[in-house]
Amino acid sequence: MSSVLFDLILVWSSQESDADYLELQNLLKTEFPNEFLIYSFTTTKQAIEHVQSIKKPSRLSIVITKLGTNEETSSKPLIEAIRSHDKHTFIILHSCTACRDPNIRWSFASLGVNMITETIKPIRDVFQQLIPLAQPSSKSKYACLYCKWPSFSLEQLCIHVPLYHTNEQEFSVKCNLCQRPTHNYAVHLHDEHSPEQHPRSIAGPLYAFSLVVCRRKRDNCFLVVQESGSMGFWLPGGRVELGEQLDKAAERETLEEAGVKIRLTGVLKIEFIPRSDSNRLRIIFFAEPADENDCEPKTIPDYESYGAMWLTYEQTVQCSTQGQLRGNEPLKWFKYIAQDGIIHPLSILSKNEL
């Protein structure tokens, strides 16, 4: 029992004991036989009573809960009970409905759910990221600015912040490593302090960005990213790195932010914006999934995004009316495509570029 690192609370009603539950149980037995002390409940009330009975937790906690099919099994009261006093518990919502309904997804992300998924594989992947956080380090000297969790090593801090706090409302903070102000702590940690070796992008007088409107043909759904910091749903895309081609940047950013491999099929707009201190170039590409049978969006949060999902145009309209879009461009472009707007060939870009 000394090797146990986390308390794992499972809330899964008997009506929901499906193949995914069996897959999860098998995962815990075969790949994580010692890391978790498991508490299983079939009702929300039981889980809340257990959580409230723990006065001084001796271990970190992970909660995996279904959305719930009725008042007895609804996960919302449990999440609210945990988040009323605790930001250290990692909460996973396993729900097909929440992954496909933007309003439900938005609601539970706002409640403080760390991760929303409809399959078990991402849960396995996130376990592998969480386990190092519970292991003591001789280099532990940093605290999280969001939840004040003490005694992280630099490596642990760079794992913890995007996993636990990607969807936090952004606020201006002073980095506790370099004392410089930042409006996005997770991105700042990655770009300035991550122990991983990665190329740094050096901004010049021209900033280039590649954005992507990606449509899944079989159901006319569009890919959106749920931006970090509760900024809203947005098109996948981002800055073009030095030495990188525009199309490769579009493919890379979509994979990083949304977890989907794409195939570019056209260009919607080339936009140049001159400014007094710099100029900005934006290319908005049109794309489709590289494989429509393998295009499940990203569910594990990181410094790039909280996750991603597929939306219909009608769902996007609803998101817009409820203030859940970062801006109006997703709505504009999804309507444009739905109305058979002109899609320019990739060849309008220089052959040296594509």
Side-chain angles (χ1 to χ4, degrees), residues 169-182:
Q169 291 281 350
E170 288 295 344
F171 57 94
S172 181
V173 297
K174 183 180 289 187
C175 174
N176 51 340
L177 279 74
C178 65
Q179 305 305 310
R180 284 183 288 173
T182 175

Side-chain angles (χ1 to χ4, degrees), residues 3-292:
S3 61
V4 171
L5 299 175
F6 288 90
D7 287 341
L8 178 59
I9 300 170
L10 299 180
V11 187
W12 213 296
S13 73
S14 56
Q15 291 85 3
E16 296 169 322
S17 295
D18 50 17
D20 283 339
Y21 182 74
L22 297 177
E23 184 181 350
L24 177 60
Q25 291 289 346
N26 183 62
L27 172 70
L28 293 169
K29 290 178 182 178
T30 58
E31 297 193 40
F32 304 98
N34 302 312
E35 288 82 356
F36 302 109
L37 181 59
I38 302 172
Y39 299 89
S40 296
F41 304 101
T42 58
T43 69
T44 299
K45 181 180 179 182
Q46 294 170 338
I48 292 175
E49 289 175 350
H50 170 77
V51 168
Q52 292 177 339
S53 70
I54 303 173
K55 303 304 180 183
K56 293 183 178 181
S58 58
R59 282 180 294 270
L60 301 173
S61 294
I62 300 172
V63 172
I64 303 177
T65 178
K66 297 289 284 185
L67 185 63
T69 57
N70 52 47
E71 184 176 347
E72 187 179 43
T73 59
S74 172
S75 58
K76 184 177 179 180
L78 172 62
I79 296 165
E80 290 175 332
I82 294 172
R83 287 296 182 245
S84 66
H85 67 283
D86 172 18
K87 284 191 174 184
H88 298 163
T89 295
F90 193 86
I91 302 176
I92 302 171
L93 178 64
H94 182 277
S95 169
C96 175
T97 303
C99 284
R100 302 182 187 187
D101 186 317
N103 291 314
I104 294 176
R105 180 184 178 90
W106 185 275
S107 173
F108 278 87
S110 299
L111 283 176
V113 170
N114 299 101
M115 173 179 164
I116 301 172
T117 182
E118 59 180 307
T119 58
I120 299 302
K121 183 183 180 300
I123 295 177
R124 172 187 177 274
D125 295 341
V126 84
F127 280 171
Q128 293 177 332
Q129 295 184 48
L130 289 169
I131 285 172
L133 298 181
Q135 296 170 333
S137 170
S138 60
K139 301 178 181 179
S140 299
K141 60 179 181 179
Y142 302 107
C144 173
L145 294 181
Y146 289 109
C147 65
K148 312 306 179 185
W149 190 346
S151 302
F152 280 128
S153 68
L154 177 58
E155 292 84 353
Q156 289 172 325
L157 184 66
C158 289
I159 294 171
H160 165 82
V161 171
L163 275 179
Y164 280 77
H165 304 296
T166 288
N167 207 43
E168 295 273 1
Q169 291 281 350
E170 288 295 344
F171 57 94
S172 181
V173 297
K174 183 180 289 187
C175 174
N176 51 340
L177 279 74
C178 65
Q179 305 305 310
R180 284 183 288 173
T182 175
H183 290 280
N184 194 317
Y185 187 41
V187 172
H188 175 81
L189 283 175
H190 177 270
D191 289 349
E192 302 295 336
H193 304 294
S194 173
E196 297 178 4
Q197 296 297 317
H198 55 84
R200 289 286 309 280
S201 297
I202 302 174
L206 175 66
Y207 296 87
F209 297 85
S210 290
L211 279 74
V212 177
V213 175
C214 182
R215 180 181 63 180
R216 189 168 60 187
K217 285 184 178 180
R218 70 169 185 260
D219 53 10
N220 284 321
C221 283
F222 296 90
L223 185 63
V224 295
V225 172
Q226 189 168 359
E227 298 271 88
S228 61
S230 296
M231 292 176 64
F233 294 110
W234 188 245
L235 301 175
R239 184 181 294 182
V240 181
E241 296 179 351
L242 286 177
E244 187 177 34
Q245 294 185 356
L246 293 168
D247 62 327
K248 298 304 179 184
E251 293 169 353
R252 173 184 56 78
E253 286 284 351
T254 304
L255 184 60
E256 290 175 351
E257 293 190 346
V260 176
K261 292 182 179 180
I262 59 169
R263 177 170 54 250
L264 300 177
T265 59
V267 175
L268 296 175
K269 187 178 183 181
I270 301 174
E271 180 181 79
F272 179 74
I273 304 172
R275 294 176 174 173
S276 59
D277 57 346
S278 64
N279 296 320
R280 187 169 77 159
L281 174 71
R282 292 203 320 167
I283 309 293
I284 301 176
F285 288 96
F286 185 60
E288 58 189 25
D291 182 353
E292 288 218 356

Side-chain angles (χ1 to χ4, degrees), residues 302-338:
D302 58 22
Y303 78 97
E304 295 277 0
S305 69
Y306 180 77
M309 67 184 305
W310 293 98
L311 293 182
T312 64
Y313 170 68
E314 291 74 20
Q315 287 176 314
T316 312
V317 172
Q318 190 175 21
C319 288
S320 177
T321 60
Q322 297 184 1
Q324 296 170 352
L325 298 182
R326 175 180 164 182
N328 68 352
E329 283 198 88
L331 189 63
K332 165 189 169 183
W333 287 115
F334 298 170
K335 181 179 181 180
Y336 180 83
I337 296 300

